[in-house]
């Protein structure tokens, strides 16, 4: 086994890290700390594929070494067997190294995070809000297919249907990794449900995906309590008498940026406060990250789009049952399946483009 191959050396380090995490997960201190245990389990899960491939590499590398030793034997049958073992190893090892090279592409440190998704109705009035509801249903069905859990955070329903705003926390493995390129403006072309003339209209909804900041293994981001103004008030709108008779709604303002969150859908002030803090942290983190990257001249996430809320990233054409992702030039004539949460072809296409660009950068 070559000890000078940088891919092999890196894999050995990762295997040691994986085993160290396994030891930590068995310790009483971690077992009594659910938050730390969840973070470590996610970290270990993110390393598992590399470790599995590396163990396969070691198997064939050892097989080749044994074969080379057996070539020195006098037994003709053993020599023939050795040649077969070496040939098999020589065919497998380059393939494994290629896969490891891809797996070792530096990951976005946020990829292992849960995600907060925020969808707002855009241009088109009622139809934009209805489309926001359709997108929320699409992501909900995709999340269910992936085995993720969805926790609604805040919502403002539209009288005509759908939402002016809906946000949710999505929990599971690699949630942010899969959803991070969904941010931007989604455009729909169809006969509106509110239109009786049968004319095709174009409407939009905006999607924004934040990493759940609480999952980050970093002390660099922190919001001092002095930067926050927290107020309670009586909620408005539907939701039951308990909402309107108590100060259960919570509004938080991040004073330096002016970012404001108002939560009233929880059953208690404590629940609304927890939701509001989670949202304000995510939004402030995202803005600070964008400002830092702009200052440093860094590309936003990658060259797959700008990551700008105003960028039209995708068009959903109902009359032609077609969806097009404009960033990677991908068109699929199965819009009905896409809207039922079968997003794999689009998500995989975006992640493959990210992978291609990172490999080019390495080379």
């Amino acid at each position: 086994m070559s000890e000078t191959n940088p891919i092999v050396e890196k894999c050995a380090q990762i295997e040691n890290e994986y085993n160290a995490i396994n030891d930590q997960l068995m310790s009483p201190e971690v077992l009594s700390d659910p938050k730390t245990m969840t973070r470590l389990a996610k970290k270990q899960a993110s390393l598992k594929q590399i470790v599995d491939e590396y163990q396969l590499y070691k198997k064939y590398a050892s097989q080749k070494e044994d074969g080379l030793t057996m070539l020195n034997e006098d037994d003709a049958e053993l020599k023939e067997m050795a040649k077969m073992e070496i040939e098999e190893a020589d065919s497998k090892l380059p393939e494994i190294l290629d896969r490891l090279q891809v797996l070792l592409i530096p990951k976005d440190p946020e990829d292992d995070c849960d995600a907060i998704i925020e969808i707002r109705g855009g241009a088109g009035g009622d139809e934009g809000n209805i489309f926001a509801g359709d997108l929320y249903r699409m992501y909900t069905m995709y999340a269910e297919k992936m085995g993720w859990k969805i926790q609604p955070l805040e919502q403002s329903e539209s009288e005509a249907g759908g939402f002016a705003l809906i946000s949710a926390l999505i929990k599971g493995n690699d949630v942010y990794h899969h959803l991070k390129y969904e941010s931007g403006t989604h455009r729909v072309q169809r006969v509106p449900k509110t239109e009786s003339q049968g004319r095709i209209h174009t409407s939009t909804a905006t999607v924004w995906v934040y990493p759940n900041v609480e999952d980050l293994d970093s002390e660099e981001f922190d919001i001092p309590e002095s930067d926050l103004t927290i107020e309670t008030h009586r909620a408005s709108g539907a939701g039951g008498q308990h909402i309107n008779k108590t100060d259960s709604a919570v509004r938080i303002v991040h004073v330096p940026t002016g970012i404001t969150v108002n939560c009233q859908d929880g059953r208690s002030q404590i629940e609304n406060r927890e939701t509001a803090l989670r949202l304000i942290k995510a939004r402030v983190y995202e803005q600070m990250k964008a400002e830092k990257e702009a200052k440093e001249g860094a590309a936003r996430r990658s060259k797959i789009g700008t990551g700008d809320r105003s960028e039209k990233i995708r068009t959903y054409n109902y009359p032609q049952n077609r969806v097009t992702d404009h960033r990677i030039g991908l068109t699929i004539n199965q819009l009905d399946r896409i809207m039922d949460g079968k997003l794999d072809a689009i998500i995989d296409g975006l992640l493959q483009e990210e992978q291609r660009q990172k490999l080019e950068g390495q080379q």
Side-chain angles (χ1 to χ4, degrees):
M1 192 185 321
S2 174
E3 296 297 330
T4 59
N5 188 316
I7 294 176
V8 175
E9 290 179 349
K10 181 64 177 176
C11 287
Q13 294 170 11
I14 289 173
E15 185 180 47
N16 289 336
E17 182 182 1
Y18 180 90
N19 292 332
I21 292 174
N22 195 56
D23 291 339
Q24 286 180 276
L25 287 169
M26 301 297 288
S27 69
E29 294 82 5
V30 172
L31 288 170
S32 62
D33 184 349
K35 188 174 181 180
T36 300
M37 187 164 65
T38 299
R39 177 177 58 79
L40 287 172
K42 279 191 170 188
K43 177 65 174 176
Q44 188 184 50
S46 73
L47 301 177
K48 187 176 187 307
Q49 193 175 1
I50 295 174
V51 172
D52 288 347
E53 284 288 344
Y54 176 53
Q55 289 176 347
L56 193 61
Y57 175 87
K58 288 196 294 183
K59 170 191 167 184
Y60 284 109
S62 177
Q63 177 177 308
K64 181 174 180 177
E65 287 185 356
D66 290 345
L68 290 171
T69 301
M70 286 168 61
L71 284 177
N72 297 322
E73 298 290 335
D74 295 329
D75 191 309
E77 189 173 336
L78 280 178
K79 283 189 175 182
E80 188 60 33
M81 186 183 299
K83 289 178 182 177
M84 293 173 63
E85 296 277 303
I86 293 168
E87 285 178 7
E88 182 186 26
D90 282 341
S91 69
K92 296 288 186 181
L93 288 171
E95 296 174 2
I96 298 171
L97 284 173
D98 286 344
R99 291 198 296 270
L100 284 170
Q101 183 180 20
V102 171
L103 291 171
L104 288 172
I105 293 172
K107 288 181 67 176
D108 183 334
E110 299 160 352
D111 276 358
D112 296 333
C113 292
D114 293 334
I116 294 172
I117 189 166
E118 174 187 288
I119 306 171
R120 296 177 184 268
D126 287 340
E127 176 61 16
N129 293 337
I130 291 170
F131 182 49
D134 294 337
L135 289 176
Y136 181 68
R137 174 182 175 272
M138 177 184 76
Y139 289 121
T140 297
M141 295 183 76
Y142 178 65
E144 289 172 351
K145 187 179 76 67
M146 296 292 289
W148 300 335
K149 294 182 179 179
I150 303 174
Q151 176 188 333
L153 296 177
E154 59 176 341
Q155 63 184 53
S156 176
E157 295 183 4
S158 169
E159 290 183 6
F163 304 94
L165 163 67
I166 178 114
S167 67
L169 171 65
I170 305 179
K171 299 180 178 182
N173 288 331
D174 297 332
V175 178
Y176 186 73
H177 172 64
H178 284 86
L179 295 180
K180 61 185 174 181
Y181 293 120
E182 294 303 294
S183 294
T185 296
H186 296 239
R187 179 172 58 184
V188 62
Q189 295 172 331
R190 66 183 175 189
V191 177
K193 297 174 182 178
T194 55
E195 173 68 62
S196 60
Q197 299 296 318
R199 296 177 298 170
I200 296 174
H201 286 219
T202 298
S203 307
T204 65
T206 59
V207 175
W208 200 251
V209 180
Y210 310 94
N212 185 33
V213 176
E214 295 177 8
D215 292 333
L216 292 173
D217 186 16
S218 171
E219 298 179 356
E220 293 182 9
F221 177 74
D222 184 40
I223 299 179
E225 285 191 21
S226 58
D227 285 353
L228 300 176
T229 299
I230 303 177
E231 303 171 344
T232 59
H233 62 94
R234 292 188 183 183
S236 59
Q241 291 185 343
H242 79 281
I243 291 184
N244 298 317
K245 290 187 176 180
T246 63
D247 290 344
S248 61
V250 176
R251 179 186 296 110
I252 300 181
V253 180
H254 182 249
V255 178
T257 62
I259 294 173
T260 302
V261 169
N262 187 67
C263 292
Q264 64 178 38
D265 296 315
R267 300 290 296 180
S268 68
Q269 185 185 116
I270 293 174
E271 188 177 331
N272 285 325
R273 180 188 174 95
E274 183 181 320
T275 298
L277 282 170
R278 188 188 297 274
L279 286 168
I280 202 83
K281 286 179 181 178
R283 292 175 185 171
V284 171
Y285 172 80
E286 190 71 13
Q287 179 160 322
M288 288 182 172
K289 183 176 69 170
E291 290 173 354
K292 180 182 178 183
E293 288 170 349
K295 185 177 180 181
E296 295 174 352
R300 186 171 177 77
R301 295 199 185 116
S302 81
K303 296 178 183 177
I304 305 177
T306 62
D308 193 294
R309 203 181 283 263
S310 64
E311 181 190 15
K312 289 184 176 61
I313 64 168
R314 196 173 298 150
T315 296
Y316 304 73
N317 186 301
Y318 274 73
Q320 298 179 25
N321 196 35
R322 183 183 70 217
V323 61
T324 299
D325 193 288
H326 305 293
R327 296 161 296 177
I328 56 176
L330 175 65
T331 295
I332 299 173
N333 293 307
Q334 292 182 325
L335 176 57
D336 51 343
R337 289 173 54 82
I338 297 294
M339 299 309 294
D340 282 340
K342 296 178 175 64
L343 284 166
D344 301 79
I346 296 176
I347 301 292
D348 290 348
L350 289 163
L351 294 178
Q352 286 168 13
E353 176 61 16
E354 176 192 51
Q355 183 184 97
R356 185 190 67 79
Q357 291 178 4
K358 285 184 175 180
L359 272 173
E360 281 187 358
Q362 283 185 337
Q363 294 165 0

